[in-house]
Amino acid sequence: MPKTYAYYPGCSSMGTSAEYDRSTRAVCRACGIDLEDVHDWTCCGSTPAHVTDFGLSGALAARNLVQAKSAGRSEVLTPCPSCLKNMKAAQHHAHDPVWGPRIERLLGRKVPEDMRCASVLEILFRETGAEGVRALVKKPLTGLKVACYYGCLLTRPTALMEFDEPENPQSMETLLAATGATVLDFPLKVECCGASLAVVRRDMVQQLSGRLLDTACELGADVLSVACPLCQMNLDLRQKQAACRRQTKAAVPIMYVTQLLGLAFGLDEADLGLGGLIVDPRPVLAGIGARSEEAADAPAGGQDDAKAVNSGRAE
Amino acid sequence: MKTLNLGESDPRFISEVEQRSGQKISRCYQCGACTGRCPNTFAYDLPVNRVMRLIQLGRREEVLSCSAIWLCAACQACAVQCPNEIDVTRVMETCRQMSAEAGLVSERAIQVFVKSFLGSVKRNGRAFEPGLMAGYMFRTGRFFTDVDLAPVMLAKRKLAFKPHKAGNGEVADIFRRYEEEGPVSCNLESDHA
Ligand code: SF4
Ligand code: SF4
């Protein structure tokens, strides 16, 4: 019997990253990865708790591990690297002489020790892998030029995340290459996009995000593939701001890796939430359609709309 | 207005930061690799290797009142670089916690955002993005810097309209116990020889 993973959607799944949540569920279903939502899950405390007190952060994150454990699960999967980092940090801090006892006092019980936590990228890489992806591809992404962007947290800190290479990870490239896409060598794949400063320091985030977007465009990327809701929202939402400041006209769609995999698997677009993206990916995706047989089915009106949105963004 | 005595040195400071962060800061030999890799040095008042040095020198106020510790994006790049395996990010995060506890915060807007966020989690069990923004604007007296993005977000249904309640009071209990306990430094013995 396949293992069932406890699934922790995280708060942004209820708003800004709903399409990540949807596409994660759809792709896991297609790959035969069984997900069960953590019952009555609560916020992991995110960066604000982590920068306030490791004890508070640990207790808030660990409550969800307790919930998963009492449902009989042994591994939690979450799409959000920031939530993942907090859960892993809670387990790590549980052994710390200063923070361990404090976490337990604040939580009112022990932190489950034998619980594993992983990102959706890690589980897809581990369970499905390139071969599994190849077997599921129905609409190859042939010709689509993809730059893979991991952001800061998926692979770092190394001791905590225990996944892929900290400075030059390859898991996303491996999975996407198996869909037939052309994977570019993106040198800024683990550079910070500044998302955590987005609300308060617009100047800083524009500088950091702008450099990433410019480089992706210079490399000729059709899309940037991401695996973090904070990076996605930051890069997608701020392209116009960043472009104005840096005087570029770049508008590159920022897609979740799960959306790209889902497209290659031929999953329903509605299940992948493509409509939730701000820089519309349909014009570049229509290009792949033309290269395979699907072109005739693409609704012409939809494409025109998409172009209008895109040129509007690039002004 | 607060006056700083920049030359003042507090020998307990390094041991306090070391205990709280679990990092051996005394091992830092100022190679500068952390600063070389930090994407935010351009905005910092003190580069991150300088923060490390000032901790070694016991310059408590200078460190806890600098803006760098608040502008750090916790991206972990420095932590991967350090040849002495110091988790430099954790040191920055630790200093930020101590800065708030000591009332030496230099970047008030960031602290207000943090408080708004945690307030929202305490009330609802989950973070509620629009409520959070409203609270932030209210408390800084400053109009949300990203107000131009709101129409785009609404059009894409990126903002939920109602908070989702969860956790059946357990999250509020965690916050209550946290507030009752006070800052962790109270339980620390800083017995520096
Ligand atoms: S964690 Fe902070 S100090 Fe370290 S490299 Fe990133 S932004 Fe700079
Ligand atoms: S990289 Fe490590 S040893 Fe080098 S200056 Fe930074 S903290 Fe010190």
Side-chain angles (χ1 to χ4, degrees):
Chain A
M1 212 183 84
K3 171 169 167 181
T4 298
Y5 290 88
Y7 178 67
Y8 179 79
C11 298
S12 65
S13 72
M14 315 296 291
T16 47
S17 74
E19 60 273 18
Y20 193 19
D21 178 58
R22 281 172 95 160
S23 56
T24 294
R25 291 175 193 272
V27 165
C28 285
R29 212 178 301 125
C31 293
I33 296 168
D34 197 16
L35 305 181
E36 179 192 86
D37 284 27
V38 174
H39 173 67
D40 196 29
W41 59 269
T42 45
C43 179
C44 71
S46 192
T47 309
H50 203 72
V51 300
T52 298
D53 188 284
F54 295 139
L56 177 64
S57 171
L60 290 173
R63 180 186 171 274
N64 297 291
L65 300 178
V66 171
Q67 294 288 102
K69 187 164 172 99
S70 57
R73 300 289 152 240
S74 59
E75 183 151 11
V76 180
L77 178 155
T78 178
C80 176
S82 178
C83 300
L84 177 65
K85 179 194 159 200
N86 271 6
M87 289 185 191
K88 289 200 170 215
Q91 290 182 305
H92 176 80
H93 282 140
H95 302 286
D96 184 279
V98 176
W99 299 105
R102 180 159 164 102
I103 294 175
E104 275 172 17
R105 284 195 305 275
L106 299 185
L107 182 62
R109 60 194 119 183
K110 285 216 166 300
V111 178
E113 289 208 359
D114 42 0
M115 206 59 164
R116 292 187 63 177
C117 308
S119 66
V120 60
L121 178 66
E122 182 176 344
I123 298 294
L124 287 170
F125 187 67
R126 193 166 84 202
E127 297 257 317
T128 310
E131 233 157 81
V133 168
R134 231 172 273 126
L136 286 166
V137 170
K138 293 210 179 67
K139 297 183 178 179
L141 304 182
T142 315
L144 188 73
K145 283 185 266 166
V146 185
C148 294
Y149 175 63
Y150 294 77
C152 13
L153 291 178
L154 265 172
T155 58
R156 299 191 303 228
T158 330
L160 207 56
M161 300 316 260
E162 299 171 298
F163 174 59
D164 215 331
E165 278 294 308
E167 297 286 55
N168 188 15
Q170 291 293 334
S171 48
M172 210 188 304
E173 282 89 342
T174 307
L175 294 178
L176 289 175
T179 67
T182 305
V183 176
L184 304 171
D185 191 9
F186 188 47
L188 302 182
K189 60 169 89 168
V190 296
E191 289 305 302
C192 177
C193 74
S196 67
L197 294 162
V199 176
V200 279
R201 284 296 297 263
R202 193 187 232 202
D203 54 332
M204 285 176 70
V205 73
Q206 279 169 359
Q207 171 123 357
L208 297 170
S209 303
R211 193 160 73 102
L212 290 171
L213 293 167
D214 284 354
T215 308
C217 288
E218 279 161 24
L219 287 172
D222 294 321
V223 298
L224 204 62
S225 171
V226 297
C228 169
L230 294 169
C231 300
Q232 197 285 335
M233 183 176 76
N234 187 40
L235 293 171
D236 196 7
L237 205 52
R238 282 166 212 285
Q239 281 201 33
K240 200 170 174 186
Q241 285 181 359
C244 291
R245 195 177 132 101
R246 299 172 66 89
Q247 289 157 350
T248 60
K249 290 196 189 302
V252 56
I254 313 294
M255 295 180 72
Y256 290 107
V257 58
T258 43
Q259 292 180 310
L260 287 165
L261 290 172
L263 280 172
F265 296 167
L267 304 182
D268 197 334
E269 277 200 17
D271 284 341
L272 302 175
L274 293 193
L277 302 178
I278 291 162
V279 177
D280 197 311
R282 282 172 294 188
V284 290
L285 297 176
I288 321 168
R291 284 185 284 270
S292 59
E293 311 79 57
E294 318 301 331
D297 306 338
Q303 273 185 46
D304 286 346
D305 278 24
K307 286 213 180 81
V309 172
N310 248 358
S311 53
R313 293 252 88 210
E315 265 159 30
Chain B
M1 213 174 100
K2 149 184 95 190
T3 46
L4 293 185
N5 180 353
L6 297 184
E8 203 173 286
S9 157
D10 174 354
R12 280 164 314 160
F13 185 49
I14 178 167
S15 86
E16 225 174 297
V17 181
E18 286 194 338
Q19 281 187 66
R20 287 182 61 140
S21 67
Q23 303 304 307
K24 268 284 184 218
I25 295 162
S26 51
R27 277 204 218 133
C28 168
Y29 50 44
Q30 287 296 301
C31 70
C34 48
T35 295
R37 192 66 174 73
C38 176
N40 286 335
T41 302
F42 76 94
Y44 283 1
D45 52 353
L46 293 173
V48 53
N49 70 303
R50 188 88 192 123
V51 172
M52 299 295 285
R53 184 69 186 131
L54 290 174
I55 299 171
Q56 289 177 334
L57 294 174
R59 306 269 270 266
R60 183 188 292 269
E61 289 223 343
E62 212 173 335
V63 170
L64 298 187
S65 62
C66 79
S67 70
I69 55 175
W70 288 88
L71 297 178
C72 164
C75 77
Q76 315 283 339
C78 51
V80 175
Q81 287 303 312
C82 178
N84 291 315
E85 292 179 345
I86 303 170
D87 186 338
V88 187
T89 310
R90 233 169 104 78
V91 175
M92 293 291 270
E93 287 172 333
T94 301
C95 289
R96 192 195 300 216
Q97 296 175 8
M98 292 172 71
S99 155
E101 288 162 18
L104 292 172
V105 177
S106 62
E107 293 282 328
R108 188 174 158 263
I110 296 179
Q111 195 194 23
V112 170
F113 178 75
V114 163
K115 284 196 172 150
S116 305
F117 185 98
L118 294 178
S120 169
V121 175
K122 181 181 172 184
R123 277 191 305 281
N124 303 311
R126 289 183 191 163
F128 173 52
E129 290 158 331
L132 171 62
M133 293 306 158
Y136 171 73
M137 282 189 272
F138 181 73
R139 274 183 258 171
T140 44
R142 177 166 115 184
F143 207 42
F144 181 33
T145 50
D146 280 335
V147 83
D148 55 333
L149 300 177
V152 192
M153 294 177 80
L154 286 173
K156 293 283 175 186
R157 296 197 194 81
K158 291 240 176 214
L159 296 176
F161 283 101
K162 267 197 303 200
H164 303 265
K165 300 250 177 201
N168 192 25
E170 284 180 38
V171 170
D173 286 344
I174 292 174
F175 276 95
R176 185 181 40 74
R177 289 190 282 261
Y178 165 71
E179 282 150 18
E180 282 167 8
E181 255 194 36
V184 76
S185 45
C186 308
N187 314 326
L188 259 189
E189 327 113 48
S190 32
D191 52 332
H192 192 80

